[in-house]
């Protein structure tokens, strides 16, 4: 089974909870052949910071180190219609606007506690954006090399199946 087949089977197991554009993006497909929203360097940096708040660096590298922001930019550009792209980036700009309202600074200039607070506020102020951003960040992270090999356990050549096996303390979830 290759990676594409594994992602397809997981999606079917999840009951199709992954959106069609996200699924197409994971599969490397392109659904949008029309115009795309321009993404500024500031928006790209903001996207990386927001993703890094959702999946911060802990014992493993975070979303920024995994390049989740680049994954999100590609998925939004290749798999979402222009109106949906504009809605997503408006939500992203809303995070920065909320940051300026609450703390008087750009989101990127905030400390970790303030960034977490702004993202928590975003979950109520713009829940649809947050859920989309979270889904994209998590998918981008766990389909990256860092996410699949460092955050998850990776066994390139699995052994035989043993149904009754004592779980070692601290065992990570397995990568596909």
């Amino acid at each position: 089974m290759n990676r594409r087949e594994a992602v397809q089977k997981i999606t079917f197991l999840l009951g199709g909870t992954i959106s069609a554009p996200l699924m197409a993006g994971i599969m490397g497909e392109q659904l949008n052949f029309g115009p795309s929203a321009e993404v500024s360097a500031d928006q790209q940096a903001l996207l990386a910071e927001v993703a890094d708040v959702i999946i911060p660096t802990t014992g493993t590298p975070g979303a920024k180190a995994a390049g989740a922001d680049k994954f999100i930019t590609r998925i939004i550009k290749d798999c979402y219609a222009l109106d949906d792209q504009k809605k997503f980036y408006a939500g992203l700009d809303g995070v920065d606007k909320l940051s300026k309202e609450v703390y008087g600074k750009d989101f990127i200039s905030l400390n970790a506690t303030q960034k977490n607070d702004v993202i928590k506020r975003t979950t109520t102020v713009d829940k649809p954006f947050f859920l989309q951003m979270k889904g994209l960040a998590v998918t981008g992270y766990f389909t990256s090399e860092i996410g699949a090999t460092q955050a998850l356990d990776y066994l390139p050549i699995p052994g035989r199946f043993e149904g009754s096996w004592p779980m070692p303390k601290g065992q990570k979830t397995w990568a596909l």
Side-chain angles (χ1 to χ4, degrees), residues 37-125:
E38 292 293 323
V39 181
S40 69
D42 290 342
Q43 285 176 315
Q44 188 70 37
L46 178 60
L47 189 59
E49 291 295 324
V50 172
D52 213 48
V53 170
I54 294 170
I55 303 177
T57 298
T58 55
T60 57
K64 191 190 306 186
D69 57 309
K70 292 171 186 66
F71 171 84
I72 294 168
T73 302
R74 187 189 64 78
I75 297 293
I76 293 292
K77 179 182 171 228
D78 288 352
C79 300
Y80 286 84
L82 182 59
D83 288 343
D84 294 331
Q85 292 176 28
K86 287 180 180 176
K87 193 183 302 180
F88 177 80
Y89 287 111
L92 185 64
D93 292 339
V95 171
D96 210 33
K97 183 179 173 189
L98 181 62
S99 171
K100 289 175 184 169
E101 287 174 10
V102 175
Y103 293 106
K105 298 184 211 173
D106 294 338
F107 184 81
I108 293 174
S109 304
L110 300 177
N111 65 38
T113 304
Q114 293 169 328
K115 286 179 183 176
N116 283 330
D117 180 54
V118 169
I119 295 302
K120 282 180 185 171
R121 290 173 190 248
T122 301
T123 62
T124 55
V125 172

Coordinates of all heavy atoms in Angstrom, one line a residue, residues 37-125:
A37 N -5.8 33.8 -5.5 CA -5.5 35.0 -4.7 C -4.0 35.2 -4.5 O -3.3 34.2 -4.4 CB -6.2 34.9 -3.3
E38 N -3.6 36.4 -4.5 CA -2.1 36.7 -4.3 C -1.9 36.6 -2.8 O -2.6 37.1 -2.0 CB -1.8 38.1 -4.8 CG -1.8 38.2 -6.3 CD -0.8 37.3 -7.0 OE1 0.4 37.2 -6.5 OE2 -1.1 36.8 -8.1
V39 N -0.8 35.9 -2.4 CA -0.4 35.8 -1.0 C 0.8 36.6 -0.8 O 1.9 36.3 -1.5 CB -0.2 34.3 -0.7 CG1 0.2 34.2 0.8 CG2 -1.4 33.5 -1.0
S40 N 0.8 37.6 0.1 CA 1.9 38.4 0.3 C 2.9 37.7 1.3 O 2.5 36.7 1.9 CB 1.5 39.7 1.0 OG 1.0 39.5 2.3
A41 N 4.1 38.2 1.3 CA 5.1 37.6 2.2 C 4.6 37.7 3.7 O 4.9 36.8 4.5 CB 6.5 38.3 2.1
D42 N 3.9 38.8 4.0 CA 3.4 39.0 5.4 C 2.4 37.9 5.7 O 2.3 37.4 6.8 CB 2.8 40.4 5.6 CG 3.9 41.5 5.6 OD1 5.1 41.1 5.8 OD2 3.6 42.6 5.4
Q43 N 1.5 37.7 4.7 CA 0.4 36.7 4.9 C 1.1 35.3 5.1 O 0.6 34.5 5.9 CB -0.6 36.6 3.8 CG -1.5 37.8 3.8 CD -2.4 37.8 2.6 OE1 -2.0 37.6 1.5 NE2 -3.7 38.0 2.8
Q44 N 2.1 35.0 4.3 CA 2.8 33.7 4.4 C 3.4 33.5 5.8 O 3.3 32.5 6.4 CB 3.8 33.5 3.3 CG 4.4 32.2 3.2 CD 3.5 31.1 2.7 OE1 2.7 31.4 1.8 NE2 3.6 29.9 3.2
A45 N 4.0 34.6 6.3 CA 4.7 34.6 7.6 C 3.6 34.4 8.7 O 3.8 33.6 9.7 CB 5.5 35.8 7.8
L46 N 2.5 35.1 8.5 CA 1.4 35.0 9.5 C 0.8 33.6 9.5 O 0.5 33.0 10.6 CB 0.3 36.1 9.2 CG -0.9 36.1 10.1 CD1 -0.6 36.3 11.5 CD2 -1.9 37.1 9.5
L47 N 0.7 33.0 8.3 CA 0.2 31.7 8.2 C 1.1 30.7 9.0 O 0.6 29.8 9.7 CB 0.1 31.3 6.7 CG -0.6 30.0 6.3 CD1 -2.1 30.0 6.8 CD2 -0.6 29.8 4.8
A48 N 2.4 30.9 8.8 CA 3.3 30.0 9.5 C 3.2 30.1 11.0 O 3.3 29.1 11.7 CB 4.8 30.3 9.0
E49 N 3.1 31.4 11.5 CA 2.9 31.6 12.9 C 1.7 31.0 13.5 O 1.7 30.4 14.6 CB 3.0 33.1 13.2 CG 4.3 33.7 13.0 CD 5.4 33.2 13.9 OE1 5.1 32.9 15.1 OE2 6.6 33.1 13.4
V50 N 0.5 31.2 12.8 CA -0.7 30.6 13.3 C -0.6 29.1 13.3 O -1.1 28.4 14.3 CB -1.9 31.1 12.4 CG1 -3.2 30.4 12.8 CG2 -2.1 32.6 12.6
A51 N -0.1 28.5 12.2 CA 0.1 27.0 12.2 C 1.0 26.6 13.4 O 0.7 25.5 14.0 CB 0.6 26.6 10.9
D52 N 2.0 27.4 13.7 CA 2.9 27.0 14.7 C 2.3 27.1 16.1 O 2.7 26.4 17.1 CB 4.2 27.8 14.7 CG 5.4 27.0 15.1 OD1 5.6 25.9 14.7 OD2 6.2 27.6 15.9
V53 N 1.3 27.9 16.3 CA 0.5 28.0 17.5 C -0.4 26.7 17.6 O -0.5 26.2 18.7 CB -0.3 29.3 17.6 CG1 -1.3 29.2 18.8 CG2 0.6 30.5 17.7
I54 N -0.9 26.3 16.5 CA -1.8 25.1 16.5 C -1.0 23.9 16.8 O -1.3 23.0 17.6 CB -2.6 25.0 15.2 CG1 -3.5 26.2 15.1 CG2 -3.3 23.7 15.1 CD1 -4.2 26.3 13.8
I55 N 0.2 23.8 16.2 CA 1.1 22.6 16.5 C 2.5 23.2 16.8 O 3.3 23.4 15.9 CB 1.2 21.7 15.2 CG1 -0.1 21.2 14.9 CG2 2.2 20.5 15.6 CD1 -0.2 20.3 13.7
P56 N 2.7 23.5 18.1 CA 4.0 24.2 18.5 C 5.1 23.2 18.6 O 4.9 22.0 18.6 CB 3.7 24.7 19.9 CG 2.6 23.8 20.4 CD 1.8 23.4 19.2
T57 N 6.3 23.7 18.6 CA 7.5 22.9 18.9 C 7.5 22.4 20.3 O 7.3 23.2 21.2 CB 8.8 23.7 18.6 OG1 8.8 24.1 17.2 CG2 10.0 22.9 18.9
T58 N 7.6 21.1 20.5 CA 7.7 20.6 21.9 C 8.9 19.7 21.9 O 10.0 20.1 21.6 CB 6.4 19.8 22.2 OG1 6.1 18.8 21.2 CG2 5.2 20.7 22.3
G59 N 8.7 18.4 22.1 CA 9.8 17.4 22.0 C 10.1 17.1 20.5 O 11.1 16.5 20.2
T60 N 9.2 17.6 19.6 CA 9.3 17.4 18.2 C 9.2 18.8 17.5 O 8.6 19.7 18.1 CB 8.3 16.4 17.6 OG1 7.0 16.9 17.9 CG2 8.5 15.0 18.2
P61 N 9.7 18.9 16.3 CA 9.5 20.2 15.6 C 8.0 20.6 15.4 O 7.2 19.7 15.3 CB 10.2 20.0 14.3 CG 11.2 18.9 14.5 CD 10.5 18.0 15.6
G62 N 7.7 21.8 15.4 CA 6.4 22.3 15.2 C 6.0 22.4 13.7 O 6.7 22.0 12.8
A63 N 4.8 23.0 13.5 CA 4.2 23.1 12.2 C 5.1 24.0 11.2 O 5.2 23.7 10.0 CB 2.8 23.7 12.2
K64 N 5.7 25.0 11.8 CA 6.5 25.9 11.0 C 7.7 25.2 10.5 O 8.1 25.3 9.3 CB 7.0 27.1 11.8 CG 7.6 28.2 10.9 CD 8.3 29.4 11.7 CE 7.4 30.0 12.7 NZ 8.1 31.2 13.3
A65 N 8.4 24.4 11.3 CA 9.5 23.6 10.9 C 9.2 22.6 9.9 O 10.0 22.2 9.0 CB 10.2 23.0 12.1
A66 N 8.0 22.1 10.0 CA 7.5 21.0 9.0 C 7.1 21.6 7.7 O 6.8 20.9 6.8 CB 6.4 20.2 9.7
G67 N 7.0 22.9 7.6 CA 6.5 23.6 6.4 C 5.0 23.4 6.1 O 4.6 23.5 5.0
A68 N 4.3 23.4 7.2 CA 2.8 23.2 7.1 C 2.2 24.5 6.4 O 1.2 24.3 5.6 CB 2.2 23.1 8.4
D69 N 2.8 25.6 6.5 CA 2.3 26.8 5.9 C 2.4 26.7 4.4 O 1.6 27.2 3.6 CB 3.0 28.1 6.4 CG 4.5 28.0 6.2 OD1 5.2 27.0 6.6 OD2 5.1 28.9 5.6
K70 N 3.5 26.1 3.9 CA 3.7 26.0 2.4 C 2.6 25.0 1.9 O 2.1 25.1 0.8 CB 5.1 25.5 2.1 CG 6.1 26.6 2.4 CD 7.5 26.1 2.3 CE 8.5 27.1 2.7 NZ 8.5 27.4 4.2
F71 N 2.4 23.9 2.7 CA 1.3 23.0 2.3 C 0.0 23.7 2.2 O -0.8 23.5 1.2 CB 1.3 21.8 3.3 CG 0.1 20.9 3.2 CD1 0.2 19.8 2.3 CD2 -1.0 21.1 3.9 CE1 -0.9 19.0 2.2 CE2 -2.1 20.2 3.8 CZ -2.1 19.1 2.9
I72 N -0.3 24.5 3.2 CA -1.6 25.2 3.2 C -1.8 26.1 2.0 O -2.8 26.2 1.4 CB -1.8 25.9 4.6 CG1 -1.9 24.9 5.7 CG2 -3.0 26.8 4.5 CD1 -1.8 25.6 7.1
T73 N -0.7 26.9 1.8 CA -0.7 27.8 0.6 C -1.0 27.0 -0.7 O -1.8 27.5 -1.5 CB 0.6 28.6 0.6 OG1 0.8 29.2 1.8 CG2 0.6 29.6 -0.6
R74 N -0.3 25.9 -0.8 CA -0.5 25.1 -2.1 C -1.9 24.6 -2.2 O -2.6 24.7 -3.2 CB 0.5 24.0 -2.2 CG 0.4 23.3 -3.5 CD 1.2 22.0 -3.6 NE 0.8 21.0 -2.7 CZ -0.3 20.2 -2.9 NH1 -1.0 20.3 -3.9 NH2 -0.6 19.3 -2.0
I75 N -2.5 24.1 -1.1 CA -3.8 23.5 -1.1 C -4.8 24.6 -1.4 O -5.7 24.4 -2.2 CB -4.1 22.8 0.3 CG1 -3.2 21.6 0.6 CG2 -5.6 22.4 0.4 CD1 -3.4 20.5 -0.4
I76 N -4.7 25.7 -0.7 CA -5.7 26.8 -0.9 C -5.6 27.3 -2.4 O -6.6 27.5 -3.0 CB -5.4 28.0 0.1 CG1 -5.6 27.6 1.5 CG2 -6.2 29.2 -0.3 CD1 -7.1 27.3 1.8
K77 N -4.4 27.4 -2.9 CA -4.3 27.9 -4.3 C -4.7 26.8 -5.3 O -5.5 27.2 -6.3 CB -2.8 28.2 -4.6 CG -2.5 28.7 -6.0 CD -1.0 28.9 -6.2 CE -0.8 29.2 -7.6 NZ 0.3 28.4 -8.2
D78 N -4.4 25.6 -5.1 CA -4.7 24.6 -6.1 C -6.1 24.0 -6.0 O -6.6 23.4 -7.0 CB -3.6 23.4 -6.1 CG -2.3 23.8 -6.6 OD1 -2.2 24.9 -7.2 OD2 -1.3 23.0 -6.4
C79 N -6.6 24.0 -4.8 CA -7.9 23.2 -4.6 C -9.1 24.0 -4.2 O -10.1 23.4 -4.0 CB -7.6 22.1 -3.6 SG -6.2 21.0 -4.2
Y80 N -9.0 25.2 -4.0 CA -10.1 26.0 -3.6 C -10.4 27.1 -4.6 O -9.5 27.7 -5.2 CB -9.9 26.7 -2.2 CG -9.9 25.8 -1.1 CD1 -8.8 25.0 -0.7 CD2 -11.1 25.6 -0.3 CE1 -8.9 24.1 0.4 CE2 -11.2 24.7 0.7 CZ -10.1 24.0 1.1 OH -10.1 23.1 2.1
A81 N -11.7 27.4 -4.9 CA -12.1 28.5 -5.8 C -11.6 29.8 -5.2 O -11.4 30.0 -4.0 CB -13.6 28.4 -6.0
L82 N -11.6 30.8 -6.1 CA -11.1 32.1 -5.7 C -11.9 32.7 -4.5 O -11.3 33.3 -3.6 CB -11.1 33.1 -6.9 CG -10.6 34.5 -6.7 CD1 -9.1 34.5 -6.2 CD2 -10.7 35.3 -7.9
D83 N -13.2 32.6 -4.6 CA -14.0 33.1 -3.4 C -13.6 32.4 -2.1 O -13.6 33.1 -1.1 CB -15.5 32.9 -3.7 CG -16.0 33.8 -4.8 OD1 -15.3 34.8 -5.1 OD2 -17.1 33.6 -5.3
D84 N -13.4 31.1 -2.1 CA -13.0 30.4 -0.9 C -11.6 30.8 -0.5 O -11.3 30.9 0.7 CB -13.1 28.9 -1.1 CG -14.5 28.4 -1.3 OD1 -15.5 29.1 -0.8 OD2 -14.7 27.4 -2.0
Q85 N -10.7 31.1 -1.4 CA -9.4 31.5 -1.1 C -9.5 32.9 -0.4 O -8.8 33.1 0.6 CB -8.5 31.7 -2.4 CG -8.2 30.4 -3.1 CD -7.5 30.6 -4.4 OE1 -6.7 31.5 -4.5 NE2 -7.6 29.6 -5.3
K86 N -10.3 33.8 -1.0 CA -10.4 35.1 -0.4 C -11.0 35.0 1.0 O -10.5 35.8 1.9 CB -11.3 36.0 -1.3 CG -10.6 36.4 -2.6 CD -11.5 37.3 -3.4 CE -10.9 37.7 -4.7 NZ -11.8 38.5 -5.6
K87 N -11.9 34.1 1.2 CA -12.5 34.0 2.5 C -11.5 33.5 3.5 O -11.4 33.9 4.7 CB -13.7 33.0 2.4 CG -14.6 33.0 3.6 CD -15.7 31.9 3.5 CE -16.6 32.1 2.3 NZ -17.7 31.1 2.2
F88 N -10.7 32.5 3.1 CA -9.6 32.0 4.0 C -8.6 33.1 4.4 O -8.3 33.3 5.5 CB -8.9 30.8 3.3 CG -7.8 30.3 4.1 CD1 -8.1 29.4 5.2 CD2 -6.5 30.6 3.9 CE1 -7.1 28.9 6.0 CE2 -5.4 30.1 4.7 CZ -5.7 29.3 5.7
Y89 N -8.1 33.8 3.4 CA -7.1 34.8 3.7 C -7.8 36.0 4.5 O -7.1 36.7 5.2 CB -6.4 35.3 2.4 CG -5.4 34.2 2.0 CD1 -5.7 33.5 0.8 CD2 -4.3 33.9 2.7 CE1 -4.8 32.5 0.4 CE2 -3.5 32.9 2.4 CZ -3.7 32.2 1.2 OH -2.9 31.2 0.8
A90 N -9.1 36.3 4.3 CA -9.7 37.3 5.1 C -9.8 36.8 6.6 O -9.6 37.6 7.5 CB -11.1 37.5 4.6
G91 N -10.0 35.5 6.8 CA -10.0 35.0 8.1 C -8.6 35.1 8.7 O -8.4 35.4 9.9
L92 N -7.6 34.8 7.9 CA -6.2 35.0 8.4 C -5.9 36.4 8.7 O -5.3 36.7 9.8 CB -5.2 34.5 7.3 CG -3.7 34.4 7.7 CD1 -3.5 33.4 8.8 CD2 -2.9 34.1 6.5
D93 N -6.3 37.3 7.9 CA -6.1 38.8 8.2 C -6.9 39.1 9.5 O -6.5 40.0 10.2 CB -6.6 39.6 7.0 CG -5.6 39.5 5.8 OD1 -4.5 39.0 6.0 OD2 -6.1 39.8 4.7
G94 N -8.0 38.5 9.7 CA -8.8 38.7 10.9 C -8.1 38.4 12.2 O -8.2 39.0 13.2
V95 N -7.2 37.4 12.1 CA -6.4 37.0 13.3 C -5.4 38.2 13.6 O -5.3 38.5 14.7 CB -5.5 35.7 13.0 CG1 -4.5 35.5 14.1 CG2 -6.5 34.5 12.8
D96 N -4.8 38.7 12.6 CA -3.9 39.9 12.8 C -4.7 41.1 13.3 O -4.2 41.8 14.2 CB -3.2 40.2 11.5 CG -1.8 40.8 11.7 OD1 -1.1 40.4 12.7 OD2 -1.4 41.6 10.9
K97 N -5.9 41.3 12.7 CA -6.7 42.4 13.2 C -7.1 42.3 14.6 O -7.0 43.2 15.4 CB -8.0 42.5 12.3 CG -8.9 43.7 12.6 CD -10.0 43.7 11.6 CE -11.0 44.7 12.1 NZ -12.3 44.6 11.3
L98 N -7.5 41.0 15.0 CA -7.9 40.8 16.4 C -6.7 41.0 17.3 O -6.8 41.5 18.4 CB -8.4 39.3 16.5 CG -8.8 38.9 17.9 CD1 -10.0 39.7 18.4 CD2 -9.2 37.4 17.9
S99 N -5.5 40.6 16.9 CA -4.3 40.8 17.7 C -4.0 42.3 17.9 O -3.7 42.7 19.0 CB -3.1 40.2 16.9 OG -1.9 40.5 17.5
K100 N -4.2 43.1 16.9 CA -4.0 44.5 17.0 C -5.1 45.2 17.9 O -4.8 46.1 18.7 CB -4.1 45.2 15.6 CG -2.8 44.9 14.8 CD -2.9 45.5 13.4 CE -1.7 45.0 12.6 NZ -1.9 45.3 11.2
E101 N -6.3 44.6 17.9 CA -7.4 45.2 18.8 C -7.1 44.8 20.2 O -7.3 45.7 21.1 CB -8.7 44.6 18.4 CG -9.3 45.1 17.1 CD -10.6 44.4 16.7 OE1 -11.1 43.6 17.5 OE2 -11.0 44.6 15.5
V102 N -6.6 43.6 20.5 CA -6.5 43.2 21.9 C -5.1 43.6 22.4 O -5.1 44.1 23.6 CB -6.6 41.6 21.9 CG1 -6.3 41.1 23.4 CG2 -8.0 41.2 21.5
Y103 N -4.0 43.5 21.7 CA -2.7 43.8 22.2 C -2.0 44.9 21.6 O -0.9 45.3 22.0 CB -1.8 42.5 22.1 CG -2.3 41.4 23.0 CD1 -2.9 40.3 22.4 CD2 -2.1 41.4 24.3 CE1 -3.4 39.2 23.2 CE2 -2.5 40.4 25.1 CZ -3.2 39.3 24.6 OH -3.6 38.3 25.4
G104 N -2.6 45.5 20.5 CA -2.0 46.7 19.9 C -0.7 46.3 19.1 O 0.0 47.2 18.7
K105 N -0.6 45.0 18.7 CA 0.6 44.6 18.0 C 0.2 43.6 16.9 O -0.9 43.0 17.0 CB 1.6 43.9 18.8 CG 2.2 44.7 19.9 CD 3.3 43.8 20.6 CE 3.5 44.0 22.1 NZ 4.3 43.1 22.7
D106 N 1.1 43.5 15.9 CA 0.8 42.4 14.9 C 0.9 41.1 15.6 O 1.7 40.9 16.6 CB 1.9 42.4 13.8 CG 1.9 43.7 13.0 OD1 0.8 44.3 12.9 OD2 2.9 44.0 12.4
F107 N 0.3 40.1 15.1 CA 0.3 38.7 15.7 C 1.7 38.2 15.8 O 2.1 37.6 16.8 CB -0.6 37.8 14.8 CG -0.7 36.4 15.4 CD1 -1.6 36.1 16.4 CD2 0.1 35.4 14.9 CE1 -1.7 34.9 17.0 CE2 0.0 34.1 15.4 CZ -0.9 33.8 16.5
I108 N 2.5 38.4 14.7 CA 3.9 37.9 14.7 C 4.7 38.5 15.9 O 5.6 37.8 16.4 CB 4.5 38.2 13.3 CG1 3.8 37.3 12.3 CG2 6.0 37.9 13.4 CD1 4.2 37.6 10.9
S109 N 4.4 39.7 16.3 CA 5.2 40.4 17.3 C 4.8 40.0 18.8 O 5.4 40.4 19.7 CB 5.0 41.9 17.2 OG 5.3 42.4 16.0
L110 N 3.7 39.2 18.9 CA 3.2 38.8 20.2 C 4.1 37.7 20.8 O 4.8 37.0 20.1 CB 1.8 38.3 20.1 CG 0.7 39.2 19.6 CD1 -0.6 38.5 19.5 CD2 0.6 40.5 20.5
N111 N 4.1 37.6 22.2 CA 4.8 36.4 22.8 C 3.9 35.2 22.7 O 2.7 35.3 22.3 CB 5.2 36.8 24.2 CG 4.0 37.0 25.1 OD1 3.0 36.3 25.0 ND2 4.1 37.9 26.0
A112 N 4.4 34.1 23.1 CA 3.6 32.8 22.9 C 2.3 32.8 23.7 O 1.3 32.3 23.1 CB 4.5 31.6 23.4
T113 N 2.3 33.4 24.9 CA 1.0 33.4 25.6 C 0.0 34.3 24.9 O -1.2 33.9 24.8 CB 1.3 34.0 27.1 OG1 2.3 33.2 27.7 CG2 0.0 33.9 27.9
Q114 N 0.4 35.4 24.4 CA -0.5 36.3 23.7 C -1.0 35.6 22.4 O -2.2 35.8 22.1 CB 0.1 37.6 23.4 CG 0.4 38.4 24.7 CD 1.4 39.6 24.4 OE1 2.2 39.6 23.5 NE2 1.2 40.7 25.2
K115 N -0.1 35.0 21.7 CA -0.5 34.3 20.5 C -1.6 33.2 20.8 O -2.6 33.1 20.1 CB 0.7 33.6 19.8 CG 1.6 34.6 19.1 CD 2.8 33.9 18.5 CE 3.7 34.9 17.9 NZ 4.9 34.3 17.3
N116 N -1.4 32.4 21.8 CA -2.3 31.4 22.2 C -3.7 32.1 22.5 O -4.7 31.5 22.2 CB -1.8 30.6 23.4 CG -0.8 29.6 23.0 OD1 -0.8 29.1 21.9 ND2 0.1 29.3 23.9
D117 N -3.7 33.2 23.2 CA -4.9 33.9 23.6 C -5.6 34.3 22.3 O -6.9 34.2 22.2 CB -4.6 35.1 24.5 CG -5.8 35.8 24.9 OD1 -6.8 35.2 25.4 OD2 -5.9 37.1 24.6
V118 N -4.9 34.9 21.4 CA -5.6 35.4 20.1 C -6.2 34.2 19.4 O -7.3 34.3 18.9 CB -4.6 36.2 19.3 CG1 -5.2 36.4 17.9 CG2 -4.2 37.5 20.0
I119 N -5.5 33.1 19.3 CA -6.0 31.9 18.6 C -7.2 31.4 19.4 O -8.2 31.0 18.7 CB -4.9 30.9 18.4 CG1 -3.8 31.4 17.5 CG2 -5.5 29.6 17.9 CD1 -4.3 31.8 16.1
K120 N -7.2 31.4 20.7 CA -8.4 30.9 21.4 C -9.6 31.9 21.2 O -10.7 31.4 21.0 CB -8.1 30.9 22.9 CG -7.3 29.7 23.4 CD -7.0 29.7 24.9 CE -6.1 28.6 25.2 NZ -5.6 28.6 26.6
R121 N -9.3 33.2 21.1 CA -10.4 34.1 20.8 C -10.9 33.9 19.3 O -12.1 34.0 19.1 CB -9.9 35.5 20.9 CG -9.7 36.0 22.3 CD -9.0 37.3 22.4 NE -8.6 37.7 23.7 CZ -9.1 38.6 24.5 NH1 -10.1 39.3 24.0 NH2 -8.6 38.8 25.7
T122 N -10.0 33.5 18.4 CA -10.4 33.3 17.1 C -11.4 32.1 17.0 O -12.2 32.0 16.1 CB -9.2 33.0 16.2 OG1 -8.3 34.1 16.2 CG2 -9.5 32.7 14.7
T123 N -11.2 31.1 17.9 CA -12.1 30.0 17.9 C -13.6 30.4 18.1 O -14.5 29.6 17.7 CB -11.8 28.9 18.9 OG1 -11.9 29.5 20.2 CG2 -10.3 28.4 18.7
T124 N -13.8 31.5 18.7 CA -15.2 32.0 18.9 C -15.6 33.1 17.9 O -16.7 33.2 17.5 CB -15.4 32.4 20.3 OG1 -14.5 33.4 20.7 CG2 -15.3 31.3 21.3
V125 N -14.6 33.9 17.6 CA -14.9 35.1 16.7 C -15.1 34.6 15.3 O -16.0 35.1 14.6 CB -13.7 36.1 16.8 CG1 -13.8 37.2 15.7 CG2 -13.6 36.7 18.2

